[in-house]
mmCIF file of all heavy atoms in Angstrom:
data_model
loop_
_atom_site.group_PDB
_atom_site.id
_atom_site.type_symbol
_atom_site.label_atom_id
_atom_site.label_comp_id
_atom_site.label_asym_id
_atom_site.label_seq_id
_atom_site.Cartn_x
_atom_site.Cartn_y
_atom_site.Cartn_z
ATOM 1 N N ARG A 25 -43.895 10.328 74.308
ATOM 2 C CA ARG A 25 -42.453 10.321 74.641
ATOM 3 C C ARG A 25 -41.624 9.976 73.425
ATOM 4 O O ARG A 25 -40.590 10.579 73.162
ATOM 5 C CB ARG A 25 -42.172 9.334 75.769
ATOM 6 C CG ARG A 25 -42.626 9.795 77.123
ATOM 7 C CD ARG A 25 -42.141 8.803 78.180
ATOM 8 N NE ARG A 25 -42.801 8.985 79.437
ATOM 9 C CZ ARG A 25 -42.323 9.741 80.423
ATOM 10 N NH1 ARG A 25 -41.181 10.364 80.304
ATOM 11 N NH2 ARG A 25 -42.987 9.848 81.552
ATOM 12 N N ASP A 26 -42.091 8.984 72.674
ATOM 13 C CA ASP A 26 -41.347 8.545 71.489
ATOM 14 C C ASP A 26 -41.305 9.631 70.414
ATOM 15 O O ASP A 26 -40.301 9.767 69.721
ATOM 16 C CB ASP A 26 -41.978 7.273 70.910
ATOM 17 C CG ASP A 26 -41.897 6.102 71.869
ATOM 18 O OD1 ASP A 26 -41.040 6.113 72.770
ATOM 19 O OD2 ASP A 26 -42.713 5.170 71.709
ATOM 20 N N ALA A 27 -42.391 10.371 70.272
ATOM 21 C CA ALA A 27 -42.470 11.387 69.219
ATOM 22 C C ALA A 27 -41.808 12.704 69.628
ATOM 23 O O ALA A 27 -41.630 13.587 68.798
ATOM 24 C CB ALA A 27 -43.934 11.647 68.869
ATOM 25 N N ASN A 28 -41.481 12.842 70.912
ATOM 26 C CA ASN A 28 -40.883 14.072 71.434
ATOM 27 C C ASN A 28 -41.721 15.302 71.071
ATOM 28 O O ASN A 28 -41.230 16.267 70.515
ATOM 29 C CB ASN A 28 -39.439 14.227 70.943
ATOM 30 C CG ASN A 28 -38.718 15.337 71.699
ATOM 31 O OD1 ASN A 28 -39.066 15.691 72.816
ATOM 32 N ND2 ASN A 28 -37.688 15.891 71.078
ATOM 33 N N VAL A 29 -43.013 15.218 71.397
ATOM 34 C CA VAL A 29 -43.921 16.332 71.101
ATOM 35 C C VAL A 29 -43.930 17.325 72.248
ATOM 36 O O VAL A 29 -43.615 16.987 73.382
ATOM 37 C CB VAL A 29 -45.361 15.845 70.810
ATOM 38 C CG1 VAL A 29 -45.389 14.944 69.610
ATOM 39 C CG2 VAL A 29 -45.967 15.171 72.013
ATOM 40 N N SER A 30 -44.289 18.528 71.917
ATOM 41 C CA SER A 30 -44.415 19.599 72.901
ATOM 42 C C SER A 30 -45.706 20.336 72.598
ATOM 43 O O SER A 30 -45.955 20.713 71.454
ATOM 44 C CB SER A 30 -43.212 20.527 72.790
ATOM 45 O OG SER A 30 -43.275 21.510 73.777
ATOM 46 N N VAL A 31 -46.537 20.512 73.630
ATOM 47 C CA VAL A 31 -47.841 21.157 73.442
ATOM 48 C C VAL A 31 -47.984 22.311 74.440
ATOM 49 O O VAL A 31 -47.933 22.093 75.653
ATOM 50 C CB VAL A 31 -49.000 20.154 73.651
ATOM 51 C CG1 VAL A 31 -50.330 20.824 73.445
ATOM 52 C CG2 VAL A 31 -48.846 18.940 72.755
ATOM 53 N N PRO A 32 -48.150 23.536 73.949
ATOM 54 C CA PRO A 32 -48.395 24.644 74.875
ATOM 55 C C PRO A 32 -49.823 24.612 75.386
ATOM 56 O O PRO A 32 -50.773 24.441 74.619
ATOM 57 C CB PRO A 32 -48.137 25.886 74.015
ATOM 58 C CG PRO A 32 -48.222 25.449 72.608
ATOM 59 C CD PRO A 32 -48.015 23.978 72.565
ATOM 60 N N ILE A 33 -49.972 24.744 76.705
ATOM 61 C CA ILE A 33 -51.269 24.743 77.364
ATOM 62 C C ILE A 33 -51.437 26.076 78.077
ATOM 63 O O ILE A 33 -50.604 26.450 78.910
ATOM 64 C CB ILE A 33 -51.404 23.592 78.390
ATOM 65 C CG1 ILE A 33 -51.032 22.246 77.766
ATOM 66 C CG2 ILE A 33 -52.787 23.586 79.009
ATOM 67 C CD1 ILE A 33 -51.985 21.742 76.714
ATOM 68 N N HIS A 34 -52.529 26.782 77.787
ATOM 69 C CA HIS A 34 -52.818 28.054 78.443
ATOM 70 C C HIS A 34 -53.834 27.825 79.546
ATOM 71 O O HIS A 34 -54.825 27.122 79.356
ATOM 72 C CB HIS A 34 -53.364 29.060 77.428
ATOM 73 C CG HIS A 34 -53.755 30.358 78.051
ATOM 74 N ND1 HIS A 34 -55.069 30.757 78.186
ATOM 75 C CD2 HIS A 34 -53.010 31.335 78.608
ATOM 76 C CE1 HIS A 34 -55.096 31.923 78.772
ATOM 77 N NE2 HIS A 34 -53.863 32.295 79.044
ATOM 78 N N PHE A 35 -53.568 28.397 80.730
ATOM 79 C CA PHE A 35 -54.522 28.297 81.824
ATOM 80 C C PHE A 35 -54.371 29.492 82.755
ATOM 81 O O PHE A 35 -53.327 30.099 82.856
ATOM 82 C CB PHE A 35 -54.380 26.973 82.587
ATOM 83 C CG PHE A 35 -53.061 26.765 83.279
ATOM 84 C CD1 PHE A 35 -52.932 26.961 84.637
ATOM 85 C CD2 PHE A 35 -51.940 26.363 82.568
ATOM 86 C CE1 PHE A 35 -51.727 26.768 85.288
ATOM 87 C CE2 PHE A 35 -50.734 26.128 83.196
ATOM 88 C CZ PHE A 35 -50.626 26.341 84.561
ATOM 89 N N LEU A 36 -55.493 29.805 83.415
ATOM 90 C CA LEU A 36 -55.545 30.907 84.375
ATOM 91 C C LEU A 36 -55.706 30.311 85.772
ATOM 92 O O LEU A 36 -56.341 29.265 85.935
ATOM 93 C CB LEU A 36 -56.721 31.826 84.063
ATOM 94 C CG LEU A 36 -56.705 32.498 82.687
ATOM 95 C CD1 LEU A 36 -58.038 33.191 82.442
ATOM 96 C CD2 LEU A 36 -55.554 33.459 82.587
ATOM 97 N N LEU A 37 -55.169 31.030 86.755
ATOM 98 C CA LEU A 37 -55.316 30.610 88.153
ATOM 99 C C LEU A 37 -56.020 31.702 88.949
ATOM 100 O O LEU A 37 -55.816 32.893 88.697
ATOM 101 C CB LEU A 37 -53.953 30.341 88.773
ATOM 102 C CG LEU A 37 -53.184 29.147 88.208
ATOM 103 C CD1 LEU A 37 -51.773 29.108 88.789
ATOM 104 C CD2 LEU A 37 -53.908 27.843 88.499
ATOM 105 N N ASN A 38 -56.842 31.272 89.879
ATOM 106 C CA ASN A 38 -57.457 32.194 90.826
ATOM 107 C C ASN A 38 -56.479 32.495 91.943
ATOM 108 O O ASN A 38 -55.476 31.799 92.126
ATOM 109 C CB ASN A 38 -58.735 31.552 91.416
ATOM 110 C CG ASN A 38 -59.793 31.323 90.371
ATOM 111 O OD1 ASN A 38 -60.149 32.222 89.615
ATOM 112 N ND2 ASN A 38 -60.288 30.106 90.309
ATOM 113 N N ARG A 39 -56.785 33.504 92.721
ATOM 114 C CA ARG A 39 -55.905 33.886 93.838
ATOM 115 C C ARG A 39 -55.668 32.761 94.823
ATOM 116 O O ARG A 39 -54.616 32.689 95.457
ATOM 117 C CB ARG A 39 -56.473 35.103 94.574
ATOM 118 C CG ARG A 39 -56.311 36.377 93.801
ATOM 119 C CD ARG A 39 -56.679 37.585 94.676
ATOM 120 N NE ARG A 39 -56.497 38.810 93.934
ATOM 121 C CZ ARG A 39 -55.343 39.431 93.754
ATOM 122 N NH1 ARG A 39 -54.261 38.960 94.293
ATOM 123 N NH2 ARG A 39 -55.279 40.557 93.057
ATOM 124 N N ASP A 40 -56.635 31.850 94.968
ATOM 125 C CA ASP A 40 -56.471 30.750 95.922
ATOM 126 C C ASP A 40 -55.672 29.584 95.354
ATOM 127 O O ASP A 40 -55.484 28.574 96.017
ATOM 128 C CB ASP A 40 -57.829 30.273 96.428
ATOM 129 C CG ASP A 40 -58.684 29.637 95.349
ATOM 130 O OD1 ASP A 40 -58.261 29.576 94.162
ATOM 131 O OD2 ASP A 40 -59.802 29.168 95.675
ATOM 132 N N GLY A 41 -55.181 29.708 94.115
ATOM 133 C CA GLY A 41 -54.380 28.653 93.501
ATOM 134 C C GLY A 41 -55.189 27.637 92.730
ATOM 135 O O GLY A 41 -54.639 26.663 92.215
ATOM 136 N N SER A 42 -56.494 27.837 92.620
ATOM 137 C CA SER A 42 -57.331 26.932 91.841
ATOM 138 C C SER A 42 -57.324 27.363 90.363
ATOM 139 O O SER A 42 -57.088 28.523 90.038
ATOM 140 C CB SER A 42 -58.757 26.914 92.366
ATOM 141 O OG SER A 42 -59.354 28.205 92.261
ATOM 142 N N VAL A 43 -57.579 26.400 89.495
ATOM 143 C CA VAL A 43 -57.645 26.683 88.063
ATOM 144 C C VAL A 43 -58.950 27.379 87.752
ATOM 145 O O VAL A 43 -60.026 26.965 88.193
ATOM 146 C CB VAL A 43 -57.521 25.374 87.247
ATOM 147 C CG1 VAL A 43 -57.672 25.637 85.763
ATOM 148 C CG2 VAL A 43 -56.188 24.692 87.530
ATOM 149 N N GLN A 44 -58.852 28.444 86.990
ATOM 150 C CA GLN A 44 -60.026 29.222 86.576
ATOM 151 C C GLN A 44 -60.460 28.729 85.198
ATOM 152 O O GLN A 44 -59.685 28.811 84.232
ATOM 153 C CB GLN A 44 -59.655 30.700 86.514
ATOM 154 C CG GLN A 44 -60.782 31.626 86.163
ATOM 155 C CD GLN A 44 -60.282 33.040 86.063
ATOM 156 O OE1 GLN A 44 -60.089 33.528 84.958
ATOM 157 N NE2 GLN A 44 -60.044 33.680 87.191
ATOM 158 N N GLY A 45 -61.645 28.201 85.089
ATOM 159 C CA GLY A 45 -62.133 27.701 83.810
ATOM 160 C C GLY A 45 -61.421 26.413 83.408
ATOM 161 O O GLY A 45 -60.959 25.663 84.252
ATOM 162 N N GLN A 46 -61.343 26.197 82.112
ATOM 163 C CA GLN A 46 -60.711 24.993 81.575
ATOM 164 C C GLN A 46 -59.436 25.361 80.827
ATOM 165 O O GLN A 46 -59.454 26.221 79.954
ATOM 166 C CB GLN A 46 -61.693 24.304 80.610
ATOM 167 C CG GLN A 46 -61.187 23.031 79.986
ATOM 168 C CD GLN A 46 -61.032 21.891 80.983
ATOM 169 O OE1 GLN A 46 -61.634 21.889 82.045
ATOM 170 N NE2 GLN A 46 -60.220 20.921 80.648
ATOM 171 N N PRO A 47 -58.300 24.724 81.165
ATOM 172 C CA PRO A 47 -57.078 24.947 80.393
ATOM 173 C C PRO A 47 -57.306 24.603 78.926
ATOM 174 O O PRO A 47 -58.136 23.751 78.605
ATOM 175 C CB PRO A 47 -56.067 23.982 81.026
ATOM 176 C CG PRO A 47 -56.591 23.760 82.405
ATOM 177 C CD PRO A 47 -58.082 23.783 82.267
ATOM 178 N N GLU A 48 -56.571 25.280 78.036
ATOM 179 C CA GLU A 48 -56.739 25.058 76.611
ATOM 180 C C GLU A 48 -55.396 24.802 75.932
ATOM 181 O O GLU A 48 -54.419 25.506 76.191
ATOM 182 C CB GLU A 48 -57.372 26.284 75.948
ATOM 183 C CG GLU A 48 -58.779 26.556 76.409
ATOM 184 C CD GLU A 48 -59.390 27.767 75.720
ATOM 185 O OE1 GLU A 48 -58.750 28.347 74.820
ATOM 186 O OE2 GLU A 48 -60.508 28.127 76.089
ATOM 187 N N ALA A 49 -55.379 23.802 75.058
ATOM 188 C CA ALA A 49 -54.195 23.539 74.255
ATOM 189 C C ALA A 49 -54.061 24.629 73.208
ATOM 190 O O ALA A 49 -55.057 24.997 72.572
ATOM 191 C CB ALA A 49 -54.305 22.170 73.595
ATOM 192 N N GLN A 50 -52.889 25.138 73.036
ATOM 193 C CA GLN A 50 -52.628 26.195 72.056
ATOM 194 C C GLN A 50 -52.047 25.588 70.788
ATOM 195 O O GLN A 50 -50.936 25.923 70.373
ATOM 196 C CB GLN A 50 -51.657 27.224 72.660
ATOM 197 C CG GLN A 50 -52.132 27.845 73.944
ATOM 198 C CD GLN A 50 -53.285 28.815 73.715
ATOM 199 O OE1 GLN A 50 -53.074 29.895 73.194
ATOM 200 N NE2 GLN A 50 -54.477 28.416 74.111
ATOM 201 N N THR A 51 -52.793 24.657 70.202
ATOM 202 C CA THR A 51 -52.381 24.008 68.971
ATOM 203 C C THR A 51 -53.600 23.728 68.120
ATOM 204 O O THR A 51 -54.687 23.517 68.654
ATOM 205 C CB THR A 51 -51.624 22.692 69.263
ATOM 206 O OG1 THR A 51 -51.209 22.116 68.018
ATOM 207 C CG2 THR A 51 -52.463 21.714 70.026
ATOM 208 N N ASP A 52 -53.413 23.771 66.835
ATOM 209 C CA ASP A 52 -54.512 23.416 65.933
ATOM 210 C C ASP A 52 -54.220 22.102 65.219
ATOM 211 O O ASP A 52 -54.885 21.739 64.255
ATOM 212 C CB ASP A 52 -54.808 24.540 64.944
ATOM 213 C CG ASP A 52 -53.581 24.931 64.125
ATOM 214 O OD1 ASP A 52 -52.515 24.309 64.298
ATOM 215 O OD2 ASP A 52 -53.710 25.850 63.291
ATOM 216 N N SER A 53 -53.232 21.371 65.730
ATOM 217 C CA SER A 53 -52.856 20.093 65.123
ATOM 218 C C SER A 53 -53.949 19.046 65.343
ATOM 219 O O SER A 53 -54.514 18.942 66.429
ATOM 220 C CB SER A 53 -51.548 19.590 65.723
ATOM 221 O OG SER A 53 -51.255 18.308 65.221
ATOM 222 N N ALA A 54 -54.203 18.275 64.321
ATOM 223 C CA ALA A 54 -55.140 17.164 64.408
ATOM 224 C C ALA A 54 -54.414 15.844 64.695
ATOM 225 O O ALA A 54 -55.060 14.800 64.801
ATOM 226 C CB ALA A 54 -55.935 17.047 63.109
ATOM 227 N N ASP A 55 -53.100 15.915 64.847
ATOM 228 C CA ASP A 55 -52.308 14.700 65.112
ATOM 229 C C ASP A 55 -52.816 14.055 66.394
ATOM 230 O O ASP A 55 -52.877 14.699 67.448
ATOM 231 C CB ASP A 55 -50.836 15.090 65.261
ATOM 232 C CG ASP A 55 -49.932 13.907 65.482
ATOM 233 O OD1 ASP A 55 -50.180 13.117 66.398
ATOM 234 O OD2 ASP A 55 -48.937 13.770 64.739
ATOM 235 N N PRO A 56 -53.171 12.763 66.350
ATOM 236 C CA PRO A 56 -53.734 12.095 67.533
ATOM 237 C C PRO A 56 -52.763 12.059 68.715
ATOM 238 O O PRO A 56 -53.191 12.097 69.868
ATOM 239 C CB PRO A 56 -54.080 10.690 67.069
ATOM 240 C CG PRO A 56 -53.655 10.573 65.658
ATOM 241 C CD PRO A 56 -53.191 11.896 65.172
ATOM 242 N N VAL A 57 -51.458 11.994 68.442
ATOM 243 C CA VAL A 57 -50.470 11.993 69.536
ATOM 244 C C VAL A 57 -50.468 13.351 70.229
ATOM 245 O O VAL A 57 -50.449 13.436 71.467
ATOM 246 C CB VAL A 57 -49.061 11.618 69.027
ATOM 247 C CG1 VAL A 57 -48.029 11.797 70.112
ATOM 248 C CG2 VAL A 57 -49.054 10.194 68.499
ATOM 249 N N ILE A 58 -50.505 14.408 69.471
ATOM 250 C CA ILE A 58 -50.519 15.753 70.048
ATOM 251 C C ILE A 58 -51.823 15.970 70.821
ATOM 252 O O ILE A 58 -51.802 16.505 71.919
ATOM 253 C CB ILE A 58 -50.301 16.820 68.967
ATOM 254 C CG1 ILE A 58 -48.856 16.722 68.472
ATOM 255 C CG2 ILE A 58 -50.609 18.216 69.489
ATOM 256 C CD1 ILE A 58 -48.509 17.650 67.323
ATOM 257 N N GLN A 59 -52.930 15.527 70.272
ATOM 258 C CA GLN A 59 -54.211 15.683 70.961
ATOM 259 C C GLN A 59 -54.247 14.886 72.270
ATOM 260 O O GLN A 59 -54.719 15.394 73.295
ATOM 261 C CB GLN A 59 -55.360 15.245 70.044
ATOM 262 C CG GLN A 59 -55.582 16.183 68.882
ATOM 263 C CD GLN A 59 -55.952 17.586 69.342
ATOM 264 O OE1 GLN A 59 -56.825 17.769 70.190
ATOM 265 N NE2 GLN A 59 -55.282 18.587 68.795
ATOM 266 N N ALA A 60 -53.713 13.669 72.265
ATOM 267 C CA ALA A 60 -53.674 12.855 73.484
ATOM 268 C C ALA A 60 -52.731 13.492 74.520
ATOM 269 O O ALA A 60 -53.027 13.476 75.727
ATOM 270 C CB ALA A 60 -53.211 11.432 73.159
ATOM 271 N N THR A 61 -51.631 14.036 74.059
ATOM 272 C CA THR A 61 -50.693 14.717 74.948
ATOM 273 C C THR A 61 -51.343 15.942 75.572
ATOM 274 O O THR A 61 -51.207 16.188 76.785
ATOM 275 C CB THR A 61 -49.403 15.106 74.201
ATOM 276 O OG1 THR A 61 -48.833 13.924 73.633
ATOM 277 C CG2 THR A 61 -48.406 15.783 75.109
ATOM 278 N N ALA A 62 -52.064 16.709 74.785
ATOM 279 C CA ALA A 62 -52.765 17.881 75.297
ATOM 280 C C ALA A 62 -53.791 17.491 76.356
ATOM 281 O O ALA A 62 -53.866 18.112 77.417
ATOM 282 C CB ALA A 62 -53.427 18.632 74.150
ATOM 283 N N ARG A 63 -54.551 16.431 76.101
ATOM 284 C CA ARG A 63 -55.539 15.982 77.092
ATOM 285 C C ARG A 63 -54.865 15.557 78.386
ATOM 286 O O ARG A 63 -55.355 15.839 79.486
ATOM 287 C CB ARG A 63 -56.392 14.842 76.523
ATOM 288 C CG ARG A 63 -57.413 15.289 75.502
ATOM 289 C CD ARG A 63 -58.397 14.179 75.147
ATOM 290 N NE ARG A 63 -57.756 12.998 74.605
ATOM 291 C CZ ARG A 63 -57.459 12.816 73.317
ATOM 292 N NH1 ARG A 63 -57.722 13.764 72.440
ATOM 293 N NH2 ARG A 63 -56.895 11.685 72.919
ATOM 294 N N ALA A 64 -53.738 14.856 78.291
ATOM 295 C CA ALA A 64 -53.005 14.429 79.488
ATOM 296 C C ALA A 64 -52.489 15.622 80.272
ATOM 297 O O ALA A 64 -52.575 15.660 81.507
ATOM 298 C CB ALA A 64 -51.840 13.512 79.092
ATOM 299 N N ALA A 65 -51.979 16.615 79.573
ATOM 300 C CA ALA A 65 -51.465 17.825 80.248
ATOM 301 C C ALA A 65 -52.591 18.587 80.925
ATOM 302 O O ALA A 65 -52.455 19.005 82.085
ATOM 303 C CB ALA A 65 -50.762 18.730 79.240
ATOM 304 N N ILE A 66 -53.703 18.768 80.248
ATOM 305 C CA ILE A 66 -54.853 19.482 80.827
ATOM 306 C C ILE A 66 -55.363 18.744 82.040
ATOM 307 O O ILE A 66 -55.641 19.356 83.081
ATOM 308 C CB ILE A 66 -55.950 19.676 79.759
ATOM 309 C CG1 ILE A 66 -55.473 20.700 78.734
ATOM 310 C CG2 ILE A 66 -57.268 20.091 80.402
ATOM 311 C CD1 ILE A 66 -56.328 20.787 77.478
ATOM 312 N N SER A 67 -55.464 17.438 81.945
ATOM 313 C CA SER A 67 -55.922 16.636 83.094
ATOM 314 C C SER A 67 -54.980 16.799 84.281
ATOM 315 O O SER A 67 -55.434 16.970 85.425
ATOM 316 C CB SER A 67 -55.989 15.165 82.673
ATOM 317 O OG SER A 67 -56.364 14.362 83.752
ATOM 318 N N ALA A 68 -53.680 16.796 84.052
ATOM 319 C CA ALA A 68 -52.714 16.959 85.142
ATOM 320 C C ALA A 68 -52.808 18.325 85.785
ATOM 321 O O ALA A 68 -52.769 18.449 87.011
ATOM 322 C CB ALA A 68 -51.295 16.724 84.609
ATOM 323 N N ILE A 69 -52.967 19.371 84.977
ATOM 324 C CA ILE A 69 -53.098 20.722 85.510
ATOM 325 C C ILE A 69 -54.307 20.826 86.426
ATOM 326 O O ILE A 69 -54.239 21.362 87.533
ATOM 327 C CB ILE A 69 -53.177 21.767 84.376
ATOM 328 C CG1 ILE A 69 -51.819 21.881 83.674
ATOM 329 C CG2 ILE A 69 -53.630 23.133 84.891
ATOM 330 C CD1 ILE A 69 -51.853 22.611 82.346
ATOM 331 N N VAL A 70 -55.426 20.260 85.985
ATOM 332 C CA VAL A 70 -56.656 20.328 86.776
ATOM 333 C C VAL A 70 -56.547 19.464 88.038
ATOM 334 O O VAL A 70 -56.908 19.880 89.132
ATOM 335 C CB VAL A 70 -57.872 19.916 85.915
ATOM 336 C CG1 VAL A 70 -59.132 19.761 86.756
ATOM 337 C CG2 VAL A 70 -58.094 20.926 84.790
ATOM 338 N N GLU A 71 -56.041 18.244 87.894
ATOM 339 C CA GLU A 71 -55.947 17.328 89.039
ATOM 340 C C GLU A 71 -54.965 17.802 90.109
ATOM 341 O O GLU A 71 -55.131 17.472 91.284
ATOM 342 C CB GLU A 71 -55.565 15.932 88.557
ATOM 343 C CG GLU A 71 -56.693 15.240 87.810
ATOM 344 C CD GLU A 71 -56.276 13.878 87.285
ATOM 345 O OE1 GLU A 71 -55.326 13.282 87.825
ATOM 346 O OE2 GLU A 71 -56.928 13.414 86.322
ATOM 347 N N CYS A 72 -53.964 18.545 89.727
ATOM 348 C CA CYS A 72 -52.935 18.986 90.674
ATOM 349 C C CYS A 72 -53.269 20.301 91.367
ATOM 350 O O CYS A 72 -52.488 20.791 92.186
ATOM 351 C CB CYS A 72 -51.583 19.093 89.990
ATOM 352 S SG CYS A 72 -50.908 17.505 89.489
#
């Protein structure tokens, strides 16, 4: 939140609304804040 980062996450959905495979962050940044943000976003997509 403090860094105001934005991370694009790509994911596919099945017809039943479930996530197909594993969502992927569309960034090659090694920044730990960006990586942690990407993991949080992927986790939320899967859990929801």
Side-chain angles (χ1 to χ4, degrees):
R25 285 187 195 266
D26 296 338
N28 192 23
V29 298
S30 184
V31 181
I33 308 292
H34 177 250
F35 62 102
L36 300 171
L37 294 172
N38 296 308
R39 286 190 179 278
D40 66 357
S42 62
V43 176
Q44 183 183 102
Q46 181 68 20
E48 295 181 5
Q50 303 288 287
T51 181
D52 57 1
S53 175
D55 182 307
V57 173
I58 291 176
Q59 290 299 312
T61 302
R63 285 191 301 274
I66 289 168
S67 177
I69 290 167
V70 171
E71 288 177 23
C72 292

